[in-house]
Amino acid sequence: TQGKVTEWNAKASSLLEFTKKETIGKNLVANFITEEFRDSVNEVLSAALKGKETANFEFPLFTKSGERRDILLNATTRRGPDGEITGVIGVGQDITQIREITSEQMRIADDLSRLIESANAPIFGVDVNGLVTEWNRKSADMLGYAKGETLGKNFVSNFIQPEDRDSVQNVLKKALTGEETANYELPLIAKYGKRYTVLLNATPRRDGKGHVVGVVGVGQDITELDKVMGESKRVADDLTRLIETA
């Protein structure tokens, strides 16, 4: 009840490099917890000494050689034969590698988010219900809708012209079943009325278990190219008619 170590098993010894003899009788918090976490660990131990258990408490421990280990702790009240509280038993799990993997995944996710946001191409995302989940800066600049105006809104019903909604909906449905669509010409109308043609690649978005949770659309603005090709076709048609009637 005074916070002194009474148990220190073989796993604790191998993990932290302190032998049982080096720890027994010493104050756990003062000797084996870094200063920044002493108050929070003390709170957990104090709660357990009052009969209140704590589950899944995360805190770092440092080995004898200074290496950090992240521990997930369950602190349980220890009682004597008459039910009186005699101390605390801490059962921990070393989650150092899990934390490292999670941190790396977060770093990659942050990098991807920055890449999407700064890409010189319109990129949008929708969930399985067709609601917008991603809307990068290029999409906002091109179409005049700020990210805040689009998130959570139905992509097809709010940002696609009525005559194009069925075909766009089919592209999204295919992606939600795992089928990608490449080079789909998507007509978009900007907030201020300008019409754009975007060459779209629609890709399924998956979670960590591989389940499809939405669609990512990466586009390329081909509006000017479309105009040039349209004008070229018109000139070619005029020349064909001229030759035909000459």
Side-chain angles (χ1 to χ4, degrees), residues 9-148:
N9 74 349
K11 182 62 179 178
S13 295
S14 64
L15 183 68
L16 300 175
E17 301 167 357
F18 293 101
T19 65
K20 189 171 185 174
K21 188 177 179 180
E22 290 177 288
T23 62
I24 297 296
K26 291 186 178 178
N27 188 281
L28 175 71
V29 174
N31 289 279
F32 305 106
I33 305 296
T34 53
E35 189 171 350
E36 61 184 306
F37 287 94
R38 283 175 187 167
D39 286 345
S40 58
V41 173
N42 259 327
E43 285 176 13
V44 169
L45 297 180
S46 295
L49 286 171
K50 294 174 183 175
K52 183 182 177 183
E53 298 183 0
T54 298
N56 300 330
F57 173 70
E58 289 187 35
F59 73 106
L61 284 173
F62 286 85
T63 66
K64 197 174 184 178
S65 57
E67 188 178 348
R68 178 182 171 129
R69 293 288 180 183
D70 291 305
I71 304 297
L72 190 67
L73 180 75
N74 290 340
T76 307
T77 305
R78 186 174 194 172
R79 298 180 184 273
D82 297 323
E84 75 279 11
I85 295 173
T86 60
V88 180
I89 290 288
V91 180
Q93 181 182 355
D94 180 10
I95 58 168
T96 307
Q97 284 188 316
I98 295 172
R99 274 283 159 267
E100 289 172 355
I101 292 168
T102 303
S103 296
E104 179 64 11
Q105 288 175 337
M106 287 179 66
R107 186 192 66 76
I108 292 170
D110 287 344
D111 286 348
L112 287 173
S113 293
R114 283 193 293 272
L115 181 64
I116 289 170
E117 191 60 29
S118 61
N120 191 32
I123 299 175
F124 67 88
V126 299
D127 63 15
V128 292
N129 297 311
L131 305 182
V132 177
T133 56
E134 288 285 349
W135 191 266
N136 77 339
R137 191 179 304 146
K138 183 66 176 179
S139 297
D141 291 345
M142 190 170 82
L143 299 175
Y145 294 100
K147 192 171 188 174

Side-chain angles (χ1 to χ4, degrees), residues 99-244:
R99 274 283 159 267
E100 289 172 355
I101 292 168
T102 303
S103 296
E104 179 64 11
Q105 288 175 337
M106 287 179 66
R107 186 192 66 76
I108 292 170
D110 287 344
D111 286 348
L112 287 173
S113 293
R114 283 193 293 272
L115 181 64
I116 289 170
E117 191 60 29
S118 61
N120 191 32
I123 299 175
F124 67 88
V126 299
D127 63 15
V128 292
N129 297 311
L131 305 182
V132 177
T133 56
E134 288 285 349
W135 191 266
N136 77 339
R137 191 179 304 146
K138 183 66 176 179
S139 297
D141 291 345
M142 190 170 82
L143 299 175
Y145 294 100
K147 192 171 188 174
E149 294 179 276
T150 64
L151 294 183
K153 292 186 178 178
N154 188 281
F155 177 70
V156 173
S157 60
N158 286 280
F159 306 107
I160 303 297
Q161 292 293 97
E163 64 269 23
D164 298 310
R165 286 175 186 169
D166 286 345
S167 60
V168 174
Q169 193 70 59
N170 286 336
V171 168
L172 297 180
K173 281 182 179 177
K174 282 182 180 178
L176 288 171
T177 60
E179 184 181 343
E180 298 184 7
T181 297
N183 299 330
Y184 170 76
E185 289 196 19
L186 174 69
L188 290 170
I189 305 296
K191 191 176 185 179
Y192 45 86
K194 182 177 178 180
R195 184 182 180 92
Y196 286 92
T197 303
V198 172
L199 197 64
L200 183 74
N201 289 341
T203 307
R205 187 174 197 167
R206 300 178 187 273
D207 63 15
K209 295 180 180 178
H211 301 137
V212 176
V213 294
V215 180
V216 174
V218 180
Q220 182 181 355
D221 180 11
I222 59 168
T223 307
E224 295 304 316
L225 178 62
D226 221 30
K227 285 180 182 177
V228 170
M229 290 179 68
E231 181 64 15
S232 297
K233 186 176 184 304
R234 187 191 64 76
V235 170
D237 288 345
D238 287 348
L239 285 172
T240 300
R241 283 194 295 272
L242 183 63
I243 292 168
E244 197 65 33

